[in-house]
Amino acid sequence: MIPTLEWLPNGVNFLDQTKLPLEETYVLATDYNQVATVIRDMIVRGAPAIGVSAAMGVALGVSQSQAADLVALNAEVAVISETLAATRPTAVNLFWAIKRMRNRYNTLAEANTSIPEIKASLIAEAQQMYDEDIAACKAMGAHGAALLPQEGTVLTHCNAGALATCGYGTALGVIRAAVERGHKIDVFADETRPYLQGARLTAWELLHDNIPTTVLCDNMAGSLMRQERIQAVIVGADRIAANGDTANKIGTYSVAVLAKEHGIPFYVAAPLSTIDVATLHGDQIPIEQRAATEVTHSNGKQMTPNGAAIQNPAFDVTPAKYITAIITEHGVLRAPYEQSIREMFEKAAAQPELISA
Ligand code: MRU
């Protein structure tokens, strides 16, 4: 399995995704501020991986605290949480994970638990979130595999794979599961300008698993769809609103519109931790704007004339009407999404254990 991130006795170890595919190197974050930097600089990226990284950041910060009492520790937990929450705004898994860690902390603190016990419990909670993330990816794979063609080509955008999670992946997890069940699938990976998650990361991890992969420039999908060379599209998500509108890597919306025009199913695979029912529709999702240099420069070389204005939104929103189905760890959601999302949360609360399809 590809080791995206790992809790170690002296910190959290991250596969440096800025260096892939040419170098497989690791960055050890030895305090919570370094975890925040690793998230902000996209050494780790992808919504579920960001969430678990933040949880480990909280655990690391609390475990290193010198606080003598719970009043002092409460104040530190607030600062640690705010620091990690200020890293990237769009992927709701980040805020979900920090909230879960704070809830755990609050329960322990209210019960007057000793500080050493709180530290141990928060480390255990973060490690449990890591395990749950892999289990959720496997369950998404089990629920979604049958939706992919028995034989054909599937397009994906960005990287929603093992590298974007604690292992196995969401969208790529569904592809992996289909291949494991005997489907003959070729993958088209959009290169995903400007950060090249598709070209650098998706191609790297799928080839690692011997899944045939072709890298496309982002402007090629429409023409290939018109030639009937794409049978399905599957992507991940950074935040899904209560009505099913889905924020994902910039360029996803264009692919979804193209898929609809060509009658190709467009699937989103994401855990329930990516669904934000407090966000009613896609226009309420905050979209991260990143540095202009990601667009103006490629591999250190300037590509645009001085003075050109630059846009660099990291994500876009695909309205729910373009989404054929949303694959979660608890089952497959279909429109109307307000209703199916609500019912899925009720079902998951009543029966939290994951069931494979
Ligand atoms: O900017 P990134 O690389 O963090 O963006 C990642 C994506 O958009 C992924 O598609 C999304 O987080 C889902 S990952 C399972």
Side-chain angles (χ1 to χ4, degrees):
M1 205 173 74
I2 295 160
T4 310
L5 65 140
E6 190 184 10
W7 177 270
L8 294 179
N10 52 346
V12 188
N13 209 22
F14 294 93
L15 178 59
D16 186 348
Q17 299 193 31
T18 65
K19 299 279 186 347
L20 289 172
L22 298 180
E23 276 176 49
E24 278 177 51
T25 50
Y26 288 82
V27 171
L28 179 68
T30 55
D31 62 37
Y32 77 87
N33 278 307
Q34 289 182 9
V35 174
T37 302
V38 160
I39 297 171
R40 190 179 299 108
D41 293 351
M42 293 176 68
I43 287 167
V44 70
R45 29 69 48 206
I50 290 174
V52 176
S53 301
M56 290 193 176
V58 173
L60 189 59
V62 171
S63 71
Q64 292 175 338
S65 167
Q66 303 294 320
D69 56 37
L70 286 179
V71 176
L73 190 54
N74 284 345
E76 282 190 35
V77 170
V79 173
I80 294 166
S81 304
E82 280 156 23
T83 304
L84 289 159
T87 50
R88 297 194 70 191
T90 303
V92 75
N93 306 62
L94 177 82
F95 308 99
W96 170 87
I98 293 169
K99 190 171 169 194
R100 177 163 155 178
M101 292 298 282
R102 287 200 78 160
N103 287 346
R104 181 84 188 108
Y105 171 78
N106 289 340
T107 307
L108 294 162
E110 278 158 22
N112 251 321
T113 311
S114 74
I115 290 182
E117 272 182 74
I118 289 180
K119 291 180 177 182
S121 296
L122 290 190
I123 293 170
E125 185 77 4
Q127 286 175 320
Q128 188 179 328
M129 286 162 79
Y130 178 97
D131 292 340
E132 285 175 13
D133 183 65
I134 296 173
C137 288
K138 291 271 171 76
M140 272 176 257
H143 287 295
L147 298 174
L148 297 187
Q150 199 56 44
E151 185 164 354
T153 299
V154 175
L155 174 77
T156 190
H157 189 79
C158 193
N159 173 268
L163 291 168
T165 61
C166 297
Y168 205 69
T170 58
L172 299 193
V174 175
I175 292 175
R176 283 193 168 90
V179 169
E180 285 163 16
R181 286 157 178 74
H183 295 225
K184 286 189 67 187
I185 290 183
D186 288 288
V187 176
F188 279 162
D190 273 345
E191 64 174 351
T192 319
R193 278 277 293 156
Y195 214 73
L196 303 180
Q197 287 94 333
R200 295 189 302 107
L201 308 177
T202 294
W204 180 80
E205 73 162 84
L206 290 178
L207 293 175
H208 191 273
D209 278 6
N210 296 316
I211 298 176
T213 304
T214 303
V215 175
L216 307 180
C217 296
D218 290 339
N219 46 10
M220 294 175 181
S223 170
L224 290 161
M225 286 181 183
R226 204 163 78 83
Q227 295 168 49
E228 299 182 359
R229 291 173 62 190
I230 296 174
Q231 281 67 53
V233 178
I234 189 162
V235 298
D238 287 84
R239 189 184 301 222
I240 300 174
N243 71 347
D245 292 352
T246 293
N248 190 49
K249 181 53 56 193
I250 188 76
T252 303
Y253 169 56
S254 323
V255 176
V257 174
L258 282 168
K260 181 133 185 140
E261 172 66 21
H262 292 89
I264 297 167
F266 179 92
Y267 300 114
V268 172
L272 292 192
S273 54
T274 302
I275 302 178
D276 178 15
V277 289
T279 296
L280 300 183
H281 55 76
D283 291 347
Q284 294 178 342
I285 300 176
I287 300 294
E288 178 182 6
Q289 305 291 324
R290 293 191 60 86
T293 46
E294 289 179 358
V295 175
T296 56
H297 287 66
S298 179
N299 244 340
K301 190 170 170 223
Q302 188 171 330
M303 310 298 288
T304 56
N306 290 334
I310 300 298
Q311 291 275 323
N312 191 15
F315 303 96
D316 60 24
V317 174
T318 298
K321 68 176 180 183
Y322 293 106
I323 300 171
T324 310
I326 300 174
I327 302 157
T328 78
E329 70 275 41
H330 288 277
V332 176
L333 303 170
R334 302 259 181 192
Y337 289 108
E338 287 92 346
Q339 187 185 335
S340 57
I341 286 173
R342 201 175 42 246
E343 286 170 2
M344 189 62 82
F345 273 101
E346 284 162 11
K347 180 183 152 197
Q351 189 179 21
E353 316 80 54
L354 297 178
I355 323 160
S356 46

